[in-house]
């Protein structure tokens, strides 16, 4: 099979395109863009709201204010959250707006920003006890995706 052509800047679309288009003209650009676009659209095992909260927590932890703001906007507009509710959850990783199992995932997301593989395996088991296997796999994939998007900021800041 032939390889997909590189992502062209004018092809980047969707709510996360400002980040994924940073990879335009690269061999990985199309893969990351298509994966991020599908990830943000698909509910899969975790609801969109949970994935967006993970994105906001990771973005804050990596000092990516623009991406945190995008996650907040999406939580407000797509999930019906109030901005104050989002801020409270991201600040404290818990609150009235989320359940305990979701709060555990947000703690895992924050803890996974700077990780040690052995420690992380134990932490994942602890933080995902209330989740199904599918939810756990989706959570780990979500944390990986959000870390990749936030780390694009460090390599190619939007302000540049």
């Amino acid at each position: 099979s032939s390889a997909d052509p590189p992502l062209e800047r004018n092809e980047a679309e969707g709510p996360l395109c400002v980040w994924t288009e940073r990879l335009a003209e690269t061999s990985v650009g199309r893969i990351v863009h298509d994966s991020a676009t599908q990830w943000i659209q698909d509910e899969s095992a975790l609801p969109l709201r949970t994935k967006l909260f993970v994105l906001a927590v990771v973005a804050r932890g990596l000092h990516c204010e623009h991406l945190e703001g995008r996650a907040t906007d999406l939580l407000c507009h797509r999930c019906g959250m109030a901005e104050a509710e989002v801020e409270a959850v991201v600040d404290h990783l818990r609150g009235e707006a989320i359940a305990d199992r979701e709060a555990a995932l947000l703690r895992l997301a924050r803890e996974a920003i700077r990780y040690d593989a052995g420690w992380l395996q134990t932490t994942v088991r602890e933080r995902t006890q209330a989740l199904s296997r599918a939810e756990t796999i989706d959570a780990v994939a979500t944390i990986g995706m959000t870390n990749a998007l936030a780390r694009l900021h460090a390599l190619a800041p939007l302000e540049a």
Side-chain angles (χ1 to χ4, degrees), residues 12-93:
E13 59 185 19
L16 300 173
C17 70
V18 173
W19 290 271
T20 60
E21 76 180 358
R22 308 303 270 178
L23 297 171
E25 311 302 328
T26 68
S27 59
V28 75
R30 181 170 304 283
I31 295 165
V32 172
H33 174 72
D34 292 351
S35 296
T37 301
Q38 185 173 350
W39 170 80
I40 201 80
Q41 292 173 353
D42 290 349
E43 286 279 330
S44 59
L46 294 178
L48 176 62
R49 188 180 96 129
T50 301
K51 294 192 289 188
L52 290 172
F53 270 127
V54 169
L55 179 60
V57 166
V58 169
R60 180 170 292 179
L62 290 172
H63 309 291
C64 187
E65 294 82 17
H66 286 95
L67 187 57
E68 181 184 346
R70 181 48 137 171
T72 298
D73 289 346
L74 291 167
L75 279 159
C76 292
H77 293 102
R78 288 198 179 172
C79 303
M81 303 286 302
E83 194 169 332
E85 287 178 306
V86 173
E87 184 64 26
V89 169
V90 176
D91 269 353
H92 306 294
L93 305 180

Side-chain angles (χ1 to χ4, degrees), residues 133-144:
R133 184 176 194 290
E135 289 169 324
T136 299
I137 291 169
D138 201 10
V140 170
T142 291
I143 290 168

